Amino acid sequence: MNAPTANLKAAAGRPLYVDLDRTLTVADVSLENWLNFAKQGIASALLLCWWLLRGRAFAKSMVARRVRLDPASLPYREAVLEIVRTARAEGRRVVLASGSHHRHVARVARHLGLFDGAVGSMARRNLKGRRKLAWINRDAGGPFDYIGDSRADRPIWSAAHQGLTVGHDPRQANVQSLPCPRVPPWRALLKAMRPHQWAKNVLIGVPMATSGLWLEPLAILRCGLGFLLLSLAASGVYLINDLLDIEADRAHRVKFSRPIASGALPIPLALGFGAGLLGLPIVVALLAMGLGFAAVLGTYLVVTTAYSLRLKQVMSLDVIVLACLYTVRIFAGGVAVGVPVSSWLLTFAVFFFLSLAFLKRYAELAATAQAPDRLLNGRGYVGSDIDIVMMSGVASGMVSILVLALFINGASPVYQGGTPELLWGLCLVLLYWLSRIWMMARRGQVSGDPIAFAITDPRSIVLGGISLAIVLAAQRLSLGI
């Protein structure tokens, strides 16, 4: 048994008061409920801002009336729960005391069934810091113990007989740190930015490669800067998207471990970096890349944000938007290096990435074992849609290969000095890869994002290298076929 638990066991019947946000749970209940309310629309977001101007306690109260908390979905600290169970077994009175609204605090207490009482903020009382201490002094009527996590808890620890902290260290003799597994914020932030997803933005180099500019230093420099700006902007979108998807991610068998959903990354930090990464790339693009690229990047961010806020919940439209977002990356590459993008290439990209977008939804439906008539959490699909999703995805992939074949049939003027007939090999490679990845998804071997799967799958990497070699050979190699 660790030392903090042993000390609290010798508490001689003193009441124990436990904080909720970032203490009993890794999450911040108030902030999460504000986000859940704000994401309902612009009117809700503006209304929340108005309530906050009238005070945090008032905002908590108004949101609590409109957003229902699901205590079963919260990530609890097992070490704190164990201390609470031990205190109850000793016959001590245990109270959940939090700055979150009383309605939410009471719901958590009822769900856990481990507390003798629960108290939280009301419309005219933000139960935090010295106000919480005043309430505890009246309720305890004598010595008490307290478990908290933040600087605001310092007055309470000073007055407590014994204290525990799971976050901020007040450096007080009567307060001990409870050993809890913690991920450094910078590491959680980096993981939430999903740098592995930046591989998708390699698509920005497709126009440079297909136009033969892949050896031009200026084109490489502009393409590289465009890749970096697009990647940073995409990371900002990922952060905002994860903030809006906390509940859905916690209900997912894989996504529940994401830094924001698991509570490893605090909401204020994620929100600040998310907003910064949405704005900074636009400014740099305008100054270094020109108005055209900045406009494309801005359009990408607007559409992606709309997708995160609403469009991802609309059946079929969500996958179409995803396919277009992939295609925009290719168009951005053309703007970056100053070459027009073929309508053939854009058409192929739309259908190809539509297939992968359907595959992503198929994997989500298969992973959750959704009931036939029940909506997938945060999406517009029910369990019985899974077969239609699969058929639509396979069909879209085959159409993309047909578009490529039609392009190859008339590609001779575009590939003067080369051998466009070699591109038929590209059709065979893509036909094999699409068939394989869909069959693997059917077997449950592809979970989540198919692009993320492809960049870690050895066979997909080899096929990607073969495809690039075929394109370059078709441009440069004259076989006189």
Side-chain angles (χ1 to χ4, degrees):
M1 182 179 300
N2 57 53
T5 305
N7 287 341
L8 284 178
K9 272 198 167 187
R14 288 189 301 273
L16 173 64
Y17 295 86
V18 183
D19 185 36
L20 174 63
D21 301 315
R22 310 288 299 177
T23 301
L24 179 65
T25 74
V26 188
D28 190 315
V29 172
S30 294
L31 289 179
E32 289 188 10
N33 281 283
W34 288 352
L35 283 173
N36 286 334
F37 179 74
K39 74 179 184 182
Q40 295 175 10
I42 295 178
S44 297
L46 293 175
L47 190 58
L48 176 61
C49 292
W50 168 246
W51 290 340
L52 286 170
L53 290 175
R54 299 185 61 180
R56 293 173 64 88
F58 183 79
K60 292 175 183 179
S61 180
M62 298 303 290
V63 171
R65 298 178 186 178
R66 294 162 174 80
V67 176
R68 182 178 178 84
L69 174 71
D70 178 14
S73 68
L74 294 175
Y76 295 97
R77 294 189 194 271
E78 186 57 39
V80 177
L81 286 174
E82 184 58 32
I83 290 176
V84 171
R85 294 188 188 104
T86 301
R88 285 294 301 273
E90 294 175 341
R92 299 176 61 190
R93 183 167 179 265
V94 185
V95 179
L96 186 60
S98 172
S100 288
H101 192 267
H102 177 74
R103 185 173 300 182
H104 295 323
V105 181
R107 187 168 287 130
V108 170
R110 287 196 299 269
H111 169 72
L112 294 175
L114 296 174
F115 296 93
D116 300 294
V119 65
S121 296
M122 304 294 284
R124 297 183 180 180
R125 180 193 67 189
N126 188 26
L127 199 70
K128 192 173 182 179
R130 296 192 180 278
R131 289 187 177 180
K132 184 190 287 190
L133 173 60
W135 186 92
I136 291 175
N137 281 330
R138 290 194 300 270
D139 184 73
F144 64 90
D145 297 331
Y146 180 75
I147 308 177
D149 72 290
S150 69
R151 184 182 297 272
D153 293 320
R154 279 187 169 188
I156 309 174
W157 281 319
S158 297
H161 187 274
Q162 291 184 19
L164 283 178
T165 176
V166 294
H168 173 72
D169 185 0
R171 300 188 183 278
Q172 296 174 200
N174 67 323
V175 180
Q176 302 176 60
S177 294
L178 182 65
C180 291
R182 297 189 67 193
V183 178
W186 65 267
R187 186 176 295 175
L189 177 62
L190 184 62
K191 182 179 179 181
M193 290 173 63
R194 302 182 212 173
H196 63 281
Q197 297 282 15
W198 292 3
K200 300 175 183 178
N201 298 324
V202 172
L203 292 170
I204 199 173
V206 170
M208 181 179 67
T210 56
S211 62
L213 297 176
W214 50 281
L215 294 178
E216 295 290 333
L218 181 60
I220 294 173
L221 180 62
R222 289 182 63 86
C223 190
L225 180 58
F227 170 84
L228 178 61
L229 295 176
L230 192 60
S231 297
L232 292 176
S235 290
V237 173
Y238 290 141
L239 288 170
I240 299 301
N241 182 69
D242 286 355
L243 284 169
L244 300 176
D245 267 359
I246 292 176
E247 290 185 337
D249 286 348
R250 285 180 183 155
H252 195 275
R253 69 175 186 178
V254 176
K255 296 179 181 179
F256 76 93
S257 62
R258 285 179 173 176
I260 298 177
S262 66
L265 181 61
I267 288 177
L269 185 62
L271 187 60
F273 270 87
L277 291 175
L278 289 179
L280 183 61
I282 294 289
V283 176
V284 176
L286 190 60
L287 296 176
M289 301 284 287
L291 181 60
F293 186 83
V296 175
L297 184 58
T299 301
Y300 169 81
L301 288 177
V302 169
V303 176
T304 307
T305 304
Y307 172 81
S308 298
L309 291 174
R310 181 68 181 94
L311 299 182
K312 66 183 177 183
Q313 302 172 20
V314 182
M315 179 186 62
S316 296
L317 181 60
D318 62 333
V319 290
I320 294 174
V321 172
L322 276 179
C324 290
L325 287 173
Y326 281 113
T327 307
V328 165
R329 291 172 166 93
I330 297 176
F331 186 77
V335 175
V337 298
V339 297
V341 182
S342 165
S343 60
W344 284 105
L345 177 58
L346 294 177
T347 305
F348 163 79
V350 167
F351 282 104
F352 180 77
F353 291 116
L354 183 61
S355 177
L356 298 188
F358 272 119
L359 192 147
K360 184 176 182 179
R361 290 294 175 264
Y362 175 86
E364 290 176 351
L365 284 167
T368 54
Q370 202 71 11
D373 59 346
R374 184 178 178 184
L375 279 174
L376 181 66
N377 198 352
R379 300 289 185 257
Y381 301 88
V382 296
S384 58
D385 293 333
I386 190 167
D387 292 331
I388 297 295
V389 169
M390 182 184 68
M391 288 187 290
S392 300
V394 173
S396 299
M398 297 303 108
V399 169
S400 71
I401 296 175
L402 175 61
V403 171
L404 179 59
L406 293 173
F407 164 74
I408 295 170
N409 191 51
S412 296
V414 180
Y415 282 73
Q416 292 179 359
T419 308
E421 289 80 7
L422 292 176
L423 292 175
W424 287 107
L426 190 60
C427 290
L428 298 178
V429 170
L430 290 177
L431 184 62
Y432 167 71
W433 186 79
L434 278 172
S435 300
R436 175 176 177 265
I437 195 172
W438 269 105
M439 289 182 183
M440 291 181 71
R442 178 73 173 176
R443 298 172 185 177
Q445 297 172 341
V446 179
S447 59
D449 194 335
I451 301 294
F453 165 81
I455 63 177
T456 58
D457 174 49
R459 193 170 300 184
S460 297
I461 294 172
V462 171
L463 292 173
I466 293 173
S467 300
L468 180 60
I470 290 173
V471 172
L472 295 180
Q475 288 179 345
R476 301 291 180 175
L477 193 60
S478 180
L479 300 179
I481 297 177

